[in-house]
Amino acid sequence: MKYSKAESVFPEELLRIIQQYVQGELVYIPKPKEAHRKWGENTRSKSIVTARNAEIKSLYRGGVSMSELSDRYFLSFESIKKIIYTKN
C-alpha cells in the first residue's frame, strides 16, 4: 500500500471536511466494490489451478489413489480429498 499526502490528493475543500472527522491519523480508503477483482483474474493462476484440479479428478476416476495423488502433486491428503469431492 502506497502512502500519499492528503494535500496532494484531495481538493482543499474536501480535505477540510475530512479533517472534521480525523486529523493526524492514517486512514485506509478502499477501492469501490466494482474495482475489486477475484483471485487469479490478473494472472493465469486460476486457470492453472482449475486445470490441475480437473487432472487430479480424472486421474482419481482412472484409479489413482488419493495417497498417490497427494505425493504426485505435493498436496496434503485433505486437499486432494477436497478437490475430488468438489462438484465443479
Side-chain angles (χ1 to χ4, degrees):
M1 187 168 20
K2 181 175 110 176
Y3 173 82
S4 300
K5 289 191 174 195
E7 295 90 2
S8 63
V9 176
F10 298 121
E12 190 175 323
E13 183 180 327
L14 179 58
L15 181 56
R16 273 188 262 138
I17 293 169
I18 293 170
Q19 286 171 331
Q20 292 173 7
Y21 297 92
V22 64
Q23 298 174 11
E25 298 178 35
L26 295 177
V27 176
Y28 172 74
I29 301 174
K31 292 179 182 180
K33 292 278 186 204
E34 58 273 6
H36 287 242
R37 295 181 184 241
K38 293 182 180 179
W39 177 81
E41 285 185 356
N42 290 340
T43 63
R44 291 184 35 227
S45 299
K46 188 173 186 174
S47 61
I48 291 169
V49 170
T50 301
R52 180 206 64 190
N53 292 353
E55 187 176 292
I56 288 171
K57 287 180 180 185
S58 176
L59 289 169
Y60 179 74
R61 284 191 299 269
V64 179
S65 73
M66 286 191 211
S67 294
E68 171 61 28
L69 291 168
S70 177
D71 291 341
R72 189 182 297 189
Y73 287 92
F74 304 100
L75 295 170
S76 71
F77 185 84
E78 289 301 315
S79 293
I80 294 294
K81 219 161 94 171
K82 284 179 189 175
I83 291 166
I84 289 170
Y85 293 124
T86 299
K87 292 210 180 214
N88 295 346

